[in-house]
Amino acid sequence: MDAYGFDAEFAQDVRRSNEATHKVLVGIQACERERHFVVLGFGSVYDWLIKRHKFSESAAHRRVQASRLLALVPDEKFTSGDVNLTTLTQVATVIRKEEKRTGQRMTKEAKSELVAKIERKTSAQTEQLLATEFPETNTGKDSIRALNHDQSRLTTDLPQATRAKLERLKELLGTQNSAEVLDEAFTALLKQLDSPETAPRETAAKSIPQKLRRYVIQKAQTCEYRDPVTGQRCDSTHNLQVDHIIPKAKGGTNQLSNLRCLCRQHNMHAAELNFGREHMNKFRTVREQHQSYVVH
Ligand SMILES: [Zn+2]
């Protein structure tokens, strides 16, 4: 085979590889939309990709980001390589940062326009284009580097509004040390997010004594949900909540044998199995309203 024959065959392989990547992204999109990962015993679509399908954290992150923009890319653009996983992830990252900076959702039209602009561009060209289009959105990455066994150095870019919050907190806490402020802020936020008071079934949950609630979470340490088919245990440590195995509304008690520790995703899933998704969606809104009301 001469060089041209070889190259033509290789082009076929690349196309097949692009098709496979596209299929994976479509799958990730479906998994997130249908919340299949919850049933399968994972706390998030990331956990599912990392633990079940052995992606690295960054590979999982890139694919989830890219999958969220997939609807804006015609299949053919992806399989031909005009748009690829790397460039699509670059766009997704900038969109996320820009939305965070402006506090506004970018319209579908603006996103489509942006995706169209990166067609047939290399990763470096895309980076350049995005930096020009969004000069105020820094495309640089955070870095955390270990200095020694108990200190790390964090480098990040702060928008002006965040800087102002940091300065205000320094004043209130009487310190000039940003690390101290961060520690206080992280502790307060974790306390709020980990609080069992954020359990979705407000009325049922409220009647579990605080002590018992703490005991259940401390004993389990991680989410106890197990996929009944594969036996996969979630083990998430994020947003742990106490769940009634038999719901209170169905006669379940506060006895230890009826309590288990679940992450928020699986607490919602258990509730959906008991009460139906539609009912729980209503509840989710009420809960979120309540949450924004109590957190001043
Ligand atoms: Zn879980």
Side-chain angles (χ1 to χ4, degrees):
M1 192 192 302
D2 66 2
Y4 300 100
F6 162 80
D7 183 61
E9 215 164 84
F10 187 75
Q12 286 286 324
D13 288 340
V14 171
R15 195 183 163 84
R16 273 194 290 271
S17 159
N18 290 342
E19 277 166 3
T21 305
H22 187 258
K23 228 174 152 180
V24 166
L25 296 184
V26 170
I28 291 171
Q29 207 183 18
C31 185
E32 206 172 26
R33 187 183 58 240
E34 304 296 329
R35 292 161 42 85
H36 288 316
F37 65 89
V38 179
V39 177
L40 295 167
F42 299 92
S44 67
V45 73
Y46 293 98
D47 273 2
W48 170 68
L49 286 173
I50 294 165
K51 292 184 191 163
R52 166 79 175 93
H53 296 290
K54 309 288 180 279
F55 283 91
S56 72
E57 270 184 40
S58 64
H61 188 75
R62 280 198 301 278
R63 281 161 182 79
V64 172
Q65 290 295 315
S67 75
R68 288 173 184 164
L69 286 184
L70 210 57
L72 306 177
V73 186
D75 295 4
E76 175 53 28
K77 298 280 180 206
F78 203 98
T79 43
S80 67
D82 284 353
V83 172
N84 62 46
L85 179 61
T86 310
T87 54
L88 203 54
T89 310
Q90 286 173 293
V91 174
T93 306
V94 165
I95 289 175
R96 201 163 38 91
K97 285 188 175 175
E98 183 68 7
E99 287 183 340
K100 210 168 167 190
R101 188 182 71 81
T102 59
Q104 278 175 344
R105 297 299 296 259
M106 200 181 276
T107 63
K108 205 178 155 191
E109 289 71 33
K111 287 180 188 173
S112 289
E113 225 172 87
L114 204 53
V115 171
K117 278 186 188 163
I118 61 152
E119 273 174 31
R120 284 183 294 278
K121 289 207 165 30
T122 63
S123 166
Q125 288 168 335
T126 302
E127 189 78 53
Q128 211 167 30
L129 181 130
L130 294 173
T132 317
E133 293 268 328
F134 304 99
E136 288 170 79
T137 298
N138 192 291
T139 52
K141 291 191 179 80
D142 287 355
S143 85
I144 297 183
R145 191 162 57 85
L147 293 176
N148 55 47
H149 72 280
D150 63 4
Q151 296 273 19
S152 295
R153 174 160 296 153
L154 163 71
T155 312
T156 190
D157 299 308
L158 299 182
Q160 194 47 45
T162 311
R163 170 82 192 267
K165 285 179 200 165
L166 176 65
E167 296 303 335
R168 175 90 181 104
L169 281 169
K170 277 184 181 173
E171 239 175 69
L172 290 169
L173 296 170
T175 174
Q176 279 307 305
N177 188 333
S178 301
E180 269 175 44
V181 175
L182 289 180
D183 186 67
E184 291 275 349
F186 293 165
T187 307
L189 185 60
L190 281 171
K191 198 172 155 197
Q192 183 199 317
L193 294 177
D194 286 341
S195 162
E197 291 309 321
T198 58
R201 269 174 285 154
E202 223 77 63
T203 46
K206 252 180 196 154
S207 52
I208 305 174
Q210 192 70 290
K211 232 172 137 182
L212 187 57
R213 192 192 291 279
R214 262 202 304 272
Y215 176 78
V216 171
I217 292 178
Q218 271 165 13
K219 186 160 161 271
Q221 305 261 335
T222 63
C223 173
E224 297 181 280
Y225 179 84
R226 221 177 252 288
D227 177 348
V229 181
T230 64
Q232 169 71 37
R233 181 178 153 131
C234 171
D235 270 339
S236 172
T237 53
H238 191 67
N239 254 332
L240 294 178
Q241 305 173 337
V242 176
D243 175 60
H244 289 90
I245 297 168
I246 300 167
K248 289 208 78 174
K250 293 186 177 175
T253 66
N254 277 343
Q255 269 172 333
L256 200 54
S257 58
N258 191 43
L259 300 177
R260 62 180 166 178
C261 171
L262 294 180
C263 72
R264 180 171 178 238
Q265 290 289 353
H266 285 120
N267 201 353
M268 289 302 294
H269 176 60
E272 277 169 12
L273 290 180
N274 276 310
F275 302 108
R277 181 173 288 198
E278 215 168 289
H279 174 78
M280 289 315 293
N281 276 345
K282 268 188 293 184
F283 208 91
R284 194 174 282 191
T285 322
V286 171
R287 190 192 70 87
E288 267 148 20
Q289 279 168 358
H290 178 75
Q291 214 174 12
S292 61
Y293 172 69
V294 290
V295 180
H296 294 288

